[in-house]
Amino acid sequence: MTTNNKNTLNVHTASSIASGTLSLTADVIVIGSGAGGAINAYELAKQGKKVIVLEAGPYVPSSEFKEMMAVAMGKLYEEEGGQSNTHGDITVLQGKCVGGSTVVNAALCFRTPDYYLKKWQKDFGLTNLTLETMVPYFEKVEKNLHITPNAAHETSAGAAYIAKGLNKLDINIGNARRNIKDCALTGFCFSGCKTDRQQSM
């Protein structure tokens, strides 16, 4: 994919290159089109840089999502959903398509907890990675991706029972924040949102 300061997106796939070769020039090459890569590419393009994003997975427009988990696993996931940790006891569901894992997740979004920011400061010397420094960046991403608390219609019937239990245990009740615009409650978050309500990369 290439993107420039005119906000254009040109997608090239192996099958779309008739000659088998493609010659491109760029100021920056970003590896991966998921949450990290896409944001970096976007910000660099905004600064007038010509950016190429390389993605190992296929480009699948949302109009082609089948809303079937078996199909999504084969087409949109790393190792067709069979990826696991080193010991093989935990499945790691990772997207492998344009947009990466942002295309196939529950759209839950939360800010990096202060605990981890402090840990990274201590362990890796990232002393400027403070909560105060990060807040403007969190706010910018939340605005761009429409990250808001779940609306009333997005709360399941079972949530009332969970809330009742949490109240009895004197545990604060949170409200999940998601990068969704007017969720249609189709339940296909993990197989790709055909209606583009999930604000993926």
Side-chain angles (χ1 to χ4, degrees), residues 108-156:
L108 291 169
C109 297
F110 54 90
R111 296 180 178 188
T112 307
D114 194 35
Y115 166 84
Y116 286 105
L117 295 177
K118 287 177 180 173
K119 181 173 173 53
W120 296 337
Q121 290 170 38
K122 180 184 170 194
D123 293 353
F124 305 112
L126 301 172
T127 54
N128 63 338
L129 204 60
T130 64
L131 185 61
E132 294 74 22
T133 303
M134 293 302 296
V135 163
Y137 297 103
F138 291 145
E139 290 174 345
K140 183 176 182 179
V141 170
E142 289 165 355
K143 181 180 177 185
N144 285 350
L145 295 181
H146 199 264
I147 298 171
T148 55
N150 269 348
H153 80 281
E154 296 174 273
T155 305
S156 68

Side-chain angles (χ1 to χ4, degrees), residues 11-25:
V11 178
H12 301 282
T13 64
S15 61
S16 69
I17 304 168
S19 65
T21 60
L22 179 66
S23 179
L24 299 170
T25 59

Side-chain angles (χ1 to χ4, degrees), residues 134-193:
M134 293 302 296
V135 163
Y137 297 103
F138 291 145
E139 290 174 345
K140 183 176 182 179
V141 170
E142 289 165 355
K143 181 180 177 185
N144 285 350
L145 295 181
H146 199 264
I147 298 171
T148 55
N150 269 348
H153 80 281
E154 296 174 273
T155 305
S156 68
Y161 292 104
I162 293 170
K164 196 172 180 181
L166 291 173
N167 279 327
K168 279 194 171 185
L169 295 170
D170 199 27
I171 297 174
N172 288 336
I173 299 172
N175 189 356
R177 294 168 59 83
R178 302 171 70 218
N179 53 311
I180 296 282
K181 277 189 178 178
D182 193 26
C183 184
L185 303 178
T186 61
F188 296 120
C189 293
F190 292 101
S191 55
C193 183

